[in-house]
Amino acid sequence: MPRLACSTFAFGPKLTKVYEGLLNLSQILKHATLAGHPGAYMKKSVLVKGIEIQRRIAHRRWWLRHLETRRKLARRGKGSISTLKRKAGPEKNRKNNAWFDYEAPVVMDFDANKENTLAYFDGLHSSMRERGSRIRLLFQQLRSISSEALIYLLGQIHLLQEKHGKQNLTGCYPKSRKIEHLLNESGFFGLLNIKKRKVAGKKTGSTRFITYKTGNKLQCEDIPKIRNELFGDDFEMPSHVKKEVYRALSEAMANVGEHAYANKAVSAKSLHGRWWIGASMSLRKNIFSLTFYDAGVGIPKTLPRRYNMELIRQALSVLPLIDPDDGAMIHAAVELGRTRTGKENRGKGLLDLHRLIDKINDGKLTIISRQGWYKYRPLRHQSGPMTGFLEGTLISWELPLTKSVNQLIDIEISDLELEDENNISV
Amino acid sequence: MKIISVSKNFSPFPAGRTPADGPNSGQRFRDEFLVPSLKVGPVCIILDAEGYGSSFLEEAFGQLIPKGFNEEFLLKNLSFETDDETLVDEIFGYIKDEASR
C-alpha cells in the first residue's frame, strides 16, 4: 500500500487529477496487474494501456450480453436478430420528429404574384393538416416579399401555432441578407422562437419595417407607437394625416371586434377577435404602407348580416354582374358605407378606410378577402374575383411619403443607393 | 358654457361604439360627459384627441337624438374647437341623419 501511494505521487498531480473521477485505487491496481506490473512503480504509458485494455474487455462483455438477449428474444418468436436490430434504437422516433421543409416562392406579393402566394399559404395549411408533420419554413429562393404578404405570413404562422402547437412549426434563416433584415425587423424570428443572428452587410436606411403588432381588442394606444417606431426622429406626420391614420386603424380594429369573427369557429380562444398590424416605409419607392389583417370570416360573408339585401342589390346595380362574386361584395360593402344611404346608423366603418386616401388625395387602398379583391385610388374603384382563397380580410394602405410625411433629417444618398440588390419590395 | 377636452377629460384614444368595443367608447362619452352637460347648458368640446373614428362620432353625437335632444337644440348648444372643420360638418351630419330617421 505505501507503494501505491508512492505510485500516485510518481504520476504527478496533473495525471492523478485526470483519473480521479474515473478510477479508484483498486482499479489502478487491476490495470497495473493486467499490464504485468503488479503494484509496482508504473510508467504513465503502461497505465494508459491498462485502462484501454479494461475498456475493450468491458465493451466486449456488454456486446456478448446484448447478443445473447437478442438471441433469446428471437428464439421466443419475437422477431429475428436483424428485425430486432432494425426496431431497436430511436429510428422510429426520428421519423416522426422529422421536419418537412416547405419552401417559399420567389416572389411573395398579392399584386405581382397573387396566385402563387395564395397557393403557398394553402399548401402550408394542408401540409400541416394532412401530413401531420412538423414544418420548417424555408426562404432559400425568396427574393421579394411585400409588406402585405409578410403580415399575412405572420398572421398565418400565429394561427398555425395555435392550431397545431408551437413546437411543430419553425423556420430557417433566408439566403438573402436583405430578406433576413426584413424578417428580423418584422418580428418573424421572435414569433417562431428562432434566435436572431447578426446579419453581415449594411442595413439599408431607406427601407424600414416595424415589428408587427397584434391584439384582440381595441388597442388604440398602439397606433401612435406604430407611427413613432416607423418614422423615428427622421420624419413627422402632419397632424391631419396622423388623425386619419388613427381613424382608419381604430375603425378597422373596431370592425374586427364587432363583425369579423362573428359566427366563426375559432380553435383557440386567444384567436377570437385577433388582428395584426404592420407598417413599412421605402424611401426609394417614396411610399409608406400600413397593413391590417384579421383572420375572421371575411367581408363578403359579413355583408348580408350588416345590411339588408335590398341595399346590397342597390349598391351592386352599378356593376355589370348578376351573380356577385366576393370582389363585388367588398365593393358593395365599401359603397354602402361611402354613400351613407343606409337607413341604419351603422356600417360607416369602411368609409374611414377610404378617408385616409381621400384626405391625401393620393395613394391606394387594397382590400383582399376570401376570393375577392377591391382597390381604390382617388375617384377610381376596381374589384374582381381571384382563384386563390385568403382567410379573413387583408387591408392595406399605400401612401406617398412626400404628401403624407415631413422629412426632418436628410437621408444620405448612399442609403438610397444601397437599396436592395435583390429588389425587395416593401 | 361647459368646456370638455376630449383628450384631458375623457381619453387621448377615443374609439369604438359601445363599452363592449373598449373603455373609451362613444356611448360612454355621450352618457358620462355630453348628456349631463347638455342638460345644464351649452357645451364646447375641444377635439384634441389622437383621432376619431366614425363609429365613435356617430354613437356619441348622432345618438343624442334618441336621448331626447332635438336637432335644433343640439345645433344651438354644441360647439367645437378643432383645426379640422370637416370633423364638425361630419358630426352635425350624423345628428341630421339621425333626426331625419
Side-chain angles (χ1 to χ4, degrees), chain A residues 240-260:
Chain A
H240 70 282
V241 183
K242 265 185 201 174
K243 283 184 177 170
E244 291 307 324
V245 167
Y246 179 92
R247 182 178 187 133
L249 290 178
S250 67
E251 271 310 301
M253 281 182 204
N255 271 340
V256 169
E258 205 171 343
H259 309 288

Side-chain angles (χ1 to χ4, degrees), chain A residues 217-218 220-221 223-224 227 239-240 242-244 246-247 250-251 254 257-258 340 342-352 355 359, chain B residues 12-18 21-22 47 49-59 63 82-84 86-87 90 93-94 97-98 101:
Chain A
K217 55 185 179 192
L218 208 57
C220 294
E221 313 81 68
I223 299 169
R227 203 175 51 220
S239 158
H240 70 282
K242 265 185 201 174
K243 283 184 177 170
E244 291 307 324
Y246 179 92
R247 182 178 187 133
S250 67
E251 271 310 301
E258 205 171 343
R340 293 202 280 143
K343 282 178 186 169
E344 295 171 1
N345 62 324
R346 296 193 168 206
K348 297 177 181 71
L350 289 170
L351 175 73
D352 290 339
R355 268 181 69 117
K359 203 90 175 179
Chain B
F13 309 108
R17 188 177 283 278
T18 63
D21 295 333
L47 298 169
E50 273 287 331
Y52 308 88
S54 58
S55 57
F56 174 86
L57 295 177
E58 206 285 329
E59 188 66 36
Q63 295 305 304
T82 175
D83 51 0
D84 184 4
T86 60
L87 213 54
E90 191 184 343
Y94 291 136
D97 279 356
E98 191 58 41
R101 272 174 205 147

Side-chain angles (χ1 to χ4, degrees), chain A residues 17 72 78 80 84 94 108 116 138 167-168 172 189 194 219 225 238 246 278 281-282 288 346 349 381 404:
Chain A
K17 226 176 192 180
K72 273 181 193 170
K78 291 187 178 175
S80 66
L84 282 168
R94 258 206 306 277
M108 283 177 82
N116 281 343
L138 295 188
Q167 72 282 2
N168 289 327
C172 280
F189 294 118
I194 300 170
Q219 280 167 228
K225 281 183 205 163
Y246 179 92
M281 181 174 77
S282 171
F288 94 88
R346 296 193 168 206
H381 297 261
S404 46

Side-chain angles (χ1 to χ4, degrees), chain B residues 35-90:
Chain B
V35 172
S37 307
L38 281 166
K39 279 180 180 168
V40 179
V43 181
C44 175
I45 298 143
I46 305 169
L47 298 169
D48 53 357
E50 273 287 331
Y52 308 88
S54 58
S55 57
F56 174 86
L57 295 177
E58 206 285 329
E59 188 66 36
F61 298 99
Q63 295 305 304
L64 282 170
I65 300 283
K67 291 280 166 188
F69 301 99
N70 63 41
E71 186 189 344
E72 214 173 298
F73 174 84
L74 291 172
L75 286 172
K76 206 174 160 188
N77 288 286
L78 270 180
S79 59
F80 298 92
E81 207 178 292
T82 175
D83 51 0
D84 184 4
E85 281 305 312
T86 60
L87 213 54
V88 180
D89 295 341
E90 191 184 343

Side-chain angles (χ1 to χ4, degrees), chain A residues 138-346:
Chain A
L138 295 188
F139 300 96
Q140 299 305 304
Q141 298 172 15
L142 185 66
R143 313 303 296 164
S144 162
I145 183 164
S146 67
S147 53
E148 299 93 47
L150 187 48
I151 282 297
Y152 188 59
L153 172 68
L154 296 169
Q156 290 299 303
I157 289 173
H158 203 142
L159 291 180
L160 288 168
Q161 281 180 334
E162 291 288 346
K163 234 180 202 174
H164 302 280
K166 282 187 180 180
Q167 72 282 2
N168 289 327
L169 193 65
T170 189
C172 280
Y173 299 112
K175 202 174 178 183
S176 160
R177 284 183 206 156
K178 308 290 170 176
I179 295 282
E180 191 168 342
H181 273 305
L182 204 67
L183 294 180
N184 236 340
E185 285 181 348
S186 68
F188 170 83
F189 294 118
L191 183 62
L192 285 171
N193 217 7
I194 300 170
K195 198 179 172 188
K196 281 185 196 176
R197 64 176 185 181
K198 277 190 179 174
V199 188
K202 196 177 172 184
K203 193 176 163 184
T204 54
S206 56
T207 307
R208 291 180 194 175
F209 203 101
I210 62 149
T211 307
Y212 79 101
K213 304 272 181 292
T214 182
N216 50 8
K217 55 185 179 192
L218 208 57
Q219 280 167 228
C220 294
E221 313 81 68
D222 279 353
I223 299 169
K225 281 183 205 163
I226 292 167
R227 203 175 51 220
N228 295 340
E229 207 180 310
L230 183 65
F231 298 123
D233 297 328
D234 313 338
F235 300 90
E236 196 185 46
M237 247 182 198
S239 158
H240 70 282
V241 183
K242 265 185 201 174
K243 283 184 177 170
E244 291 307 324
V245 167
Y246 179 92
R247 182 178 187 133
L249 290 178
S250 67
E251 271 310 301
M253 281 182 204
N255 271 340
V256 169
E258 205 171 343
H259 309 288
Y261 288 86
N263 302 330
K264 180 165 183 173
V266 186
S267 55
K269 206 176 177 185
S270 65
L271 288 177
H272 196 87
R274 187 154 291 275
W275 47 258
W276 293 264
I277 298 178
S280 67
M281 181 174 77
S282 171
L283 291 177
R284 188 174 62 85
K285 290 183 179 175
N286 186 39
I287 53 162
F288 94 88
S289 66
L290 291 164
T291 309
F292 185 91
Y293 172 63
D294 73 75
V297 291
I299 291 177
K301 276 254 177 179
T302 60
L303 196 61
R305 217 172 52 81
R306 291 176 70 188
Y307 305 96
N308 68 46
M309 276 314 282
E310 263 179 43
L311 285 171
I312 297 167
R313 285 203 189 94
Q314 193 186 328
L316 285 172
S317 62
V318 291
L319 301 168
L321 291 161
I322 302 160
D323 216 6
D325 55 52
D326 283 351
M329 291 293 266
I330 303 168
H331 192 146
V334 177
E335 195 61 27
L336 281 165
R338 233 169 67 80
T339 53
R340 293 202 280 143
T341 52
K343 282 178 186 169
E344 295 171 1
N345 62 324
R346 296 193 168 206

Side-chain angles (χ1 to χ4, degrees), chain A residues 355-366:
Chain A
R355 268 181 69 117
L356 183 54
I357 305 292
D358 290 335
K359 203 90 175 179
I360 297 166
N361 198 25
D362 203 347
K364 185 174 76 175
L365 163 73
T366 310

